Amino acid sequence: QQQVKQSPQSLIVQKGGISIINCAYENTAFDYFPWYQQFPGKGPALLIAIRPDVSEKKEGRFTISFNKSAKQFSLHIMDSQPGDSATYFCAEEWENFNKFYFGSGTKLNVKP
Amino acid sequence: GAVVSQHPSWVICKSGTSVKIECRSLDFQATTMFWYRQFPKQSLMLMATSNEGSKATYEQGVEKDKFLINHASLTLSTLTVTSAHPEDSSFYICSAVTVSGGVGEQFFGPGTRLTVL
């Protein structure tokens, strides 16, 4: 079922630093690329999303960079805070089917 | 924003019993809901797609007779784990989809922790 590869598996960043998580996909039929944040024991929450006609989207400290030719996209968390410590999942939506495939997740630990 | 609830949030049951988990979209109608299973420190595994008024579509390897899904209305989908066994213990998460501009946005419930003794 794995349609997208996510890296790294875990990430440790100092407070104030930049956290970068990468995802790569294979099928160009995907047309919606969301990132989800999940805290332990909770369901994932939509963080930010992008469509392939845009190369970058920024919302506050969170930025998605999208490289359509390389079939890669990444999440950048600027000025990372301890409260950002969570597991992050990238996902892709299958065109017209509204079916989502998730990456394997990245556990982010922001140290104070 | 769109809110999805799940009930119960956790359940403990004996082996062989059946457990029903409800997923509700509180402030929007969802023709499509998904059910996921998540093991500790792992990603979400799609189990099935639930469409209102029709049979659910199960992913390969998911037993449809064991995981019964009913999407009776535009705001409610239920997952029943029949004859539960310890290996069914997991975190079950539902999501509901709203469609905007031809693209579905997915909103997740808080999850249900199932422990089968």
Side-chain angles (χ1 to χ4, degrees):
Chain A
Q1 197 180 86
Q2 193 72 29
Q3 301 279 344
V4 57
K5 296 182 180 179
Q6 183 173 344
S7 63
Q9 186 176 11
S10 63
L11 181 61
I12 300 174
V13 174
Q14 291 294 323
K15 179 182 177 181
I18 302 174
S19 304
I20 302 175
I21 304 171
N22 301 298
C23 280
Y25 63 99
E26 297 180 353
N27 196 317
T28 55
F30 294 126
D31 60 0
Y32 179 66
F33 299 86
W35 283 90
Y36 291 89
Q37 179 189 56
Q38 185 180 30
F39 292 104
K42 304 293 184 182
L46 178 65
L47 192 62
I48 187 172
I50 198 169
R51 299 184 186 184
D53 55 346
V54 177
S55 62
E56 185 176 282
K57 184 176 182 179
K58 183 177 181 179
E59 290 183 0
R61 296 185 294 110
F62 301 94
T63 300
I64 298 179
S65 296
F66 190 86
N67 187 329
K68 190 173 183 178
S69 60
K71 292 190 285 187
Q72 295 177 346
F73 61 108
S74 60
L75 174 69
H76 296 234
I77 305 175
M78 312 300 287
D79 187 27
S80 299
Q81 300 297 312
D84 297 331
S85 297
T87 300
Y88 293 81
F89 295 96
C90 63
E92 294 74 36
E93 178 183 359
W94 189 272
E95 182 180 2
N96 295 327
F97 290 91
N98 294 325
K99 179 178 283 190
F100 293 79
Y101 293 99
F102 284 83
S104 54
T106 296
K107 186 174 182 179
L108 171 64
N109 184 8
V110 181
K111 291 190 172 296
Chain B
V3 180
V4 177
S5 69
Q6 274 184 248
H7 178 80
S9 56
W10 60 270
V11 57
I12 301 174
C13 69
K14 293 182 178 180
S15 183
T17 61
S18 295
V19 175
K20 179 184 284 188
I21 303 171
E22 291 185 350
C23 177
R24 293 181 185 273
S25 56
L26 297 185
D27 50 2
F28 65 99
Q29 293 183 330
T31 55
T32 301
M33 291 183 174
F34 297 108
W35 285 95
Y36 295 86
R37 185 173 181 177
Q38 186 178 35
F39 291 104
K41 300 183 180 180
Q42 293 190 24
S43 187
L44 289 79
M45 183 191 78
L46 179 64
M47 298 176 66
T49 302
S50 172
N51 292 300
E52 187 267 337
S54 63
K55 291 183 178 180
T57 302
Y58 291 81
E59 295 298 301
Q60 190 174 7
V62 178
E63 299 176 61
K64 62 180 181 181
D65 294 330
K66 182 168 186 62
F67 299 99
L68 301 179
I69 292 173
N70 187 334
H71 196 150
S73 75
L74 289 172
T75 59
L76 173 64
S77 177
T78 60
L79 168 68
T80 301
V81 183
T82 62
S83 186
H85 288 90
E87 57 267 28
D88 298 324
S89 298
S90 189
F91 193 50
Y92 292 88
I93 307 172
C94 73
S95 70
V97 176
T98 65
V99 179
S100 175
V103 176
E105 294 196 33
Q106 185 174 204
F107 296 91
F108 287 87
T112 296
R113 174 74 59 191
L114 170 63
T115 301
V116 184
L117 302 177

